[in-house]
Amino acid sequence: MILSATSAAAQEASADVSGKDVVAEDTLSTAEPDDLRAGDVPVPPEPAGLPEVEPIIPDEEFNDTIPSLDPADDDELQKPLESIDAFEQRLAREAASDAGEKPVTAANADSDAPLGEPALDDGDSTEEIGDAPVRDAELSAPLPPLDQFEVQPVEFAENATDDAEPVKIAYKTKIDGLEAVDEETDLDLESEFKGLSALRDGDGEAANVAMLSARLTEDSELLKTILASQGWYSPSVTTRIDRSETEDGTPLIAVLQVTPGKRYNFTDIKIEADPTEPADLISENFALTVGEPIVAERVQGAEAQLALALPENGYPFAEIGQRDILLDPDTGGGDYTLPVTVGPRARFGGFATEGDLAFDAEHVGVLARFERGELYDSRMVDDLRKALVATGLLSTVSVEPKRTGEAAGDGTEFVTIDVNQDAGPPRTIGGSAGYAAGQGFTLEGSWTHRNMFPPEGALIVHGIAGTQQQGAGVTFRRSNAGKRDRTFEVTAEALRADYDAFNAYTGRLAARISRDSTPLWQKRITYAYGVQLIGTAEKSYDFDAGEKRRRTYYIGGISGQLGLDTSDDLLNPTKGFRLTTLIEPEGSLGGGFNPYVRARIDGSAYYPIGNSFVLAGRVRFGTIQGADLFDIAPSRRFYSGGGGSVRGFGFQKLGPLDPEGDPIGGRSLNEAAAEVRYRWGNFGIVGFVDAGQSYAATTPQFSDMRYGVGLGGRFYTNFGPMRLDVATPLGRRKGESLINVYVSIGQAF
């Protein structure tokens, strides 16, 4: 082997080498050049050629030092291997000799060792994990032959039989010490505890006492949290497990002993905020007062109220900081500090919009209920957001104020309302189906492109296919037409109707401006006005001819409708009332011009009883003034009977009859209905009584009233209840059906 040095110092050391003990020392210079700054890395010089050096240990000397591996040259290699026992005993003797202790021999191995100091292989009696005593007879016993060695298999839990049930211990939970707390707060904290308790979740059973103890510990922390939420920040909750058997045989009782301690109150309330306009804006909208208990729900509610009040009063960028409550255990008081960043006072400016646009910023301004220069109010911004959603044209939308820095006077600045749009699919297909006695089955469908003519210009193609009515039509509708919630629509349709009262082929062209409720945007006040032209060829009974004949009518008229709705739901009202008035001046061109006025008023009311029952009632009155009955087209007369009128009777079956027993309609009507609705979950049942009649006279007569009674079932969905009503007439007359069935979407009224 050759060792070589690569430095001058190593070469000098090698010159003085003699013998075998050679030490080569390589030194590095620590001197630095004058221009080396802290952090610089010195660059080593280029390596120069190294001179040849003599080996420190000659090869012959090195080879002579290595022992021979040939067994013939070494007597030790010729000896037989010693046994394992002999090898271990020799190692033990050598270790004892190196430690200066008396070696363990066969003579002293069987001697009695002092108590607590067993004889060990290495002689160390203080080892944490010691060796087995040499005198243990089992260690010197010979191993049994493999064919006689037996191992008892261990049976794990998963190998147990399926029939074996785990052993559980039963327990009950007991809380002591909350009575005074409940009395002071007028709350039931134990009920709140039960809703979150780990002990209660265990249903009175635990696998072992350790599990029960862990649940006790967890519930003790839960109790401390509940007490802290009511102002007790230093309660003491001790736990124990009583093992005395109870009266019902439960062996264990998990007991939580509560000592509430002192209840903390506010001693100081400080709001760190810049001045506002008005000056008392924060103090008037912050509900906490000095002296009241520190209740978490009250604190969070007061902060939330302030977070709402500031943006509602001109501060759109106000932020509520992190509260700090400093508690004093000696006095039981708490100093409350809340930092509030008020931000600039602002007024509404313009509008901006971005994203996948369904309409532009100008139309956003049409939907807004505020004008430029008005003081900022977050409620108006939320209202705009709802209006954008109600268009049905957006899949997602956000409305946020953006600072402009433009002064608006009075220390305020304008903010831009930024609308981020994501247009949704503009086309929809809808449909509905129903059944009613006298009308048969009815299937309606529609295809709508809601934004074919932006903004919000929809094209609707609709059709109806039923056993007694068929037709199709096209409607153009512009929602929010120049004004929020105003709808303009033009409709052209053709219909065929075949009822007992008349058979008609009708064409209709109408234009209408309205403010209507929708399932997404129910309005308190609604209105509608418009014009219509109707051409209809209708077959009905001609008393002069004594038979049914077809007659053509051309009708032109205007209409006006006004509604008031205080109910809580459009399709499933449970409280409030509705009132609607319809007035339609018309003129008929059948055998001369015959002007008349159709008028109708509808009212309904809803009264809840508890959480499950609703009492509902409805009335309707109608009149036609200015024309004889037979100068009015049969389809424009009043009829009673059917699912939306008087249940228990067929469609249009009540009122004056012709000699063939078919209804001919009338010039007035009166109707009433009462329902008791009961709901559980998504299901409901309804009992109802309906009454009504139509008359040939121009005013309701309230005579010959007919009554129907029945039961209905309801299945409540996210778009309204599905209705199935079964009714029967009281005082049934010849030709009237015993059972009448009505199926539709929504309540009867």
Side-chain angles (χ1 to χ4, degrees):
M1 181 178 70
I2 300 175
L3 300 177
S4 62
T6 60
S7 67
Q11 295 180 33
E12 294 176 359
S14 64
D16 296 331
V17 173
S18 62
K20 298 180 181 179
D21 298 327
V22 178
V23 178
E25 184 178 29
D26 190 3
T27 61
L28 294 176
S29 173
T30 59
E32 295 183 356
D34 294 338
D35 60 347
L36 184 62
R37 297 187 302 273
D40 290 344
V41 179
V43 179
E46 291 293 333
L50 298 178
E52 294 184 2
V53 296
E54 295 293 331
I56 298 175
I57 302 176
D59 291 345
E60 293 181 359
E61 183 178 350
F62 178 77
N63 292 332
D64 292 340
T65 306
I66 297 176
S68 174
L69 298 179
D70 188 354
D73 298 336
D74 193 339
D75 294 338
E76 290 295 329
L77 296 178
Q78 302 295 327
K79 295 180 180 179
L81 293 175
E82 62 184 334
S83 66
I84 293 177
D85 290 341
F87 175 73
E88 291 178 345
Q89 292 178 11
R90 179 168 59 81
L91 291 180
R93 288 194 298 271
E94 292 176 356
S97 176
D98 292 341
E101 300 175 357
K102 181 179 178 180
V104 180
T105 63
N108 62 19
D110 296 331
S111 62
D112 294 333
L115 185 62
E117 298 183 4
L120 303 177
D121 283 344
D122 57 5
D124 188 356
S125 62
T126 62
E127 286 187 354
E128 184 175 349
I129 301 177
D131 298 329
V134 175
R135 64 177 181 271
D136 192 341
E138 289 297 327
L139 295 177
S140 59
L143 294 175
L146 290 177
D147 57 353
Q148 300 179 12
F149 185 76
E150 295 183 1
V151 177
Q152 183 68 30
V154 178
E155 183 175 311
F156 296 96
E158 55 265 29
N159 294 330
T161 60
D162 295 337
D163 297 336
E165 295 184 0
V167 178
K168 292 184 178 181
I169 58 173
Y171 66 86
K172 284 189 173 182
T173 304
K174 181 181 179 182
I175 303 176
D176 293 328
L178 283 182
E179 296 80 6
V181 174
D182 288 344
E183 183 177 351
E184 182 172 349
T185 59
D186 198 22
L187 298 173
D188 187 358
L189 296 187
E190 185 170 352
S191 295
E192 183 177 350
F193 167 81
K194 291 178 180 178
L196 303 170
S197 168
L199 289 167
R200 296 285 179 176
D201 287 344
D203 295 328
E205 290 185 336
N208 47 53
V209 176
M211 178 182 289
L212 178 58
S213 179
R215 292 176 182 173
L216 263 174
T217 302
E218 182 178 345
D219 279 1
S220 68
E221 295 302 318
L222 172 62
L223 272 175
K224 292 178 182 178
T225 302
I226 293 175
L227 289 168
S229 70
Q230 296 298 323
W232 283 275
Y233 286 94
S234 55
S236 172
V237 180
T238 59
T239 63
R240 70 179 187 274
I241 300 176
D242 285 351
R243 300 178 181 274
S244 57
E245 189 168 320
T246 60
E247 295 180 358
D248 61 357
T250 304
L252 300 178
I253 302 177
V255 181
L256 296 105
Q257 181 67 48
V258 180
T259 304
K262 186 180 299 182
R263 193 180 194 188
Y264 287 75
N265 300 318
F266 288 114
T267 54
D268 185 42
I269 295 177
K270 182 179 180 182
I271 308 296
E272 297 177 345
D274 293 333
T276 61
E277 179 64 37
D280 61 351
L281 177 60
I282 291 179
S283 59
E284 287 296 316
N285 289 279
F286 195 70
L288 300 181
T289 58
V290 173
E292 71 171 278
I294 305 176
V295 178
E297 187 177 23
R298 287 272 301 161
V299 173
Q300 294 171 348
E303 293 173 357
Q305 180 183 356
L306 187 59
L308 288 175
L310 287 170
E312 289 176 356
N313 290 273
Y315 295 92
F317 307 106
E319 295 182 358
I320 307 300
Q322 179 62 45
R323 80 183 75 89
D324 180 67
I325 303 179
L326 181 62
L327 302 176
D328 187 345
D330 296 330
T331 64
D335 294 342
Y336 174 90
T337 303
L338 181 67
V340 177
T341 302
V342 175
R345 194 164 182 246
R347 296 184 181 276
F348 288 115
F351 298 92
T353 186
E354 57 185 355
D356 183 9
L357 302 185
F359 37 75
D360 56 18
E362 182 180 356
H363 190 64
V364 173
V366 171
L367 298 176
R369 296 187 189 275
F370 50 84
E371 301 290 339
R372 177 181 172 85
E374 293 183 13
L375 190 66
Y376 181 91
D377 189 338
S378 60
R379 290 168 293 188
M380 295 294 99
V381 177
D382 291 339
D383 177 76
L384 174 59
R385 182 183 298 107
K386 293 177 182 177
L388 290 166
V389 172
T391 64
L393 299 177
L394 303 174
S395 59
T396 60
V397 61
S398 65
V399 184
E400 300 292 341
K402 300 291 184 182
R403 294 191 63 176
T404 64
E406 180 185 356
D410 300 329
T412 63
E413 69 174 54
F414 286 113
V415 295
T416 295
I417 303 303
D418 185 70
V419 177
N420 192 303
Q421 304 182 37
D422 186 6
R427 299 173 183 83
T428 57
I429 297 176
S432 64
Y435 173 82
Q439 287 179 281
F441 290 97
T442 302
L443 178 65
E444 297 185 62
S446 65
W447 174 90
T448 303
H449 191 303
R450 298 192 303 275
N451 206 28
M452 178 172 284
F453 310 98
E456 297 192 73
L459 181 67
I460 306 168
V461 179
H462 51 89
I464 181 171
T467 54
Q468 293 181 277
Q469 187 177 14
Q470 306 84 38
V474 177
T475 298
F476 165 77
R477 181 183 65 206
R478 185 175 296 282
S479 301
N480 299 302
K483 184 179 180 181
R484 167 82 172 267
D485 297 330
R486 183 168 63 188
T487 301
F488 170 74
E489 63 181 19
V490 177
T491 300
E493 59 185 1
L495 299 171
R496 175 187 179 273
D498 186 11
Y499 300 116
D500 292 340
F502 59 86
N503 176 280
Y505 296 91
T506 304
R508 177 174 174 268
L509 180 64
R512 181 174 183 262
I513 295 176
S514 64
R515 184 179 189 268
D516 297 320
S517 287
T518 67
L520 292 179
W521 195 261
Q522 186 175 354
K523 302 173 180 65
R524 186 179 181 89
I525 297 177
T526 59
Y527 64 81
Y529 57 89
V531 298
Q532 62 179 349
L533 296 174
I534 300 174
T536 179
E538 301 185 2
K539 184 178 182 180
S540 61
Y541 194 85
D542 187 334
F543 281 83
D544 292 336
E547 61 180 359
K548 289 186 177 182
R549 289 186 175 183
R550 189 172 300 278
R551 184 178 177 184
T552 301
Y553 300 85
Y554 299 98
I555 304 168
I558 60 177
S559 64
Q561 178 178 308
L562 181 65
L564 175 63
D565 186 354
T566 67
S567 66
D568 59 339
D569 190 271
L570 190 65
L571 294 177
N572 182 39
T574 60
K575 61 181 179 181
F577 68 89
R578 296 172 180 171
L579 189 63
T580 304
T581 300
L582 173 67
I583 299 177
E584 296 179 308
E586 297 180 355
S588 175
L589 301 177
F593 181 70
N594 297 295
Y596 56 89
V597 176
R598 301 176 79 248
R600 194 183 72 202
I601 183 169
D602 292 86
S604 58
Y606 313 91
Y607 183 77
I609 300 177
N611 296 325
S612 301
F613 286 93
V614 174
L615 299 181
R618 176 187 70 86
V619 294
R620 173 181 291 170
F621 302 101
T623 181
I624 301 177
Q625 300 285 337
D628 292 335
L629 178 63
F630 297 104
D631 290 332
I632 303 170
S635 61
R636 306 301 292 169
R637 301 170 189 169
F638 285 131
Y639 299 87
S640 288
S645 177
V646 183
R647 287 165 290 185
F649 300 89
F651 181 64
Q652 300 180 339
K653 289 293 187 178
L654 295 182
L657 304 177
D658 64 22
E660 297 179 3
D662 293 328
I664 60 175
R667 291 185 294 173
S668 64
L669 64 79
N670 47 242
E671 295 176 355
E675 289 189 348
V676 179
R677 302 171 183 172
Y678 173 70
R679 176 176 178 175
W680 70 98
N682 291 328
F683 300 92
I685 189 171
V686 175
F688 57 85
V689 177
D690 291 359
Q693 186 62 277
S694 63
Y695 308 93
T698 59
T699 57
Q701 303 299 300
F702 300 97
S703 61
D704 193 28
M705 296 286 290
R706 300 301 308 279
Y707 299 88
V709 298
L711 291 175
R714 302 291 185 268
F715 176 67
Y716 294 90
T717 68
N718 57 358
F719 57 84
M722 301 290 292
R723 175 169 70 104
L724 170 62
D725 289 339
V726 179
T728 186
L730 296 180
R732 185 165 65 96
R733 299 173 182 175
K734 183 179 180 180
E736 294 178 342
S737 299
L738 176 63
I739 299 296
N740 292 275
V741 179
Y742 314 92
V743 181
S744 67
I745 297 176
Q747 298 285 5
F749 55 89

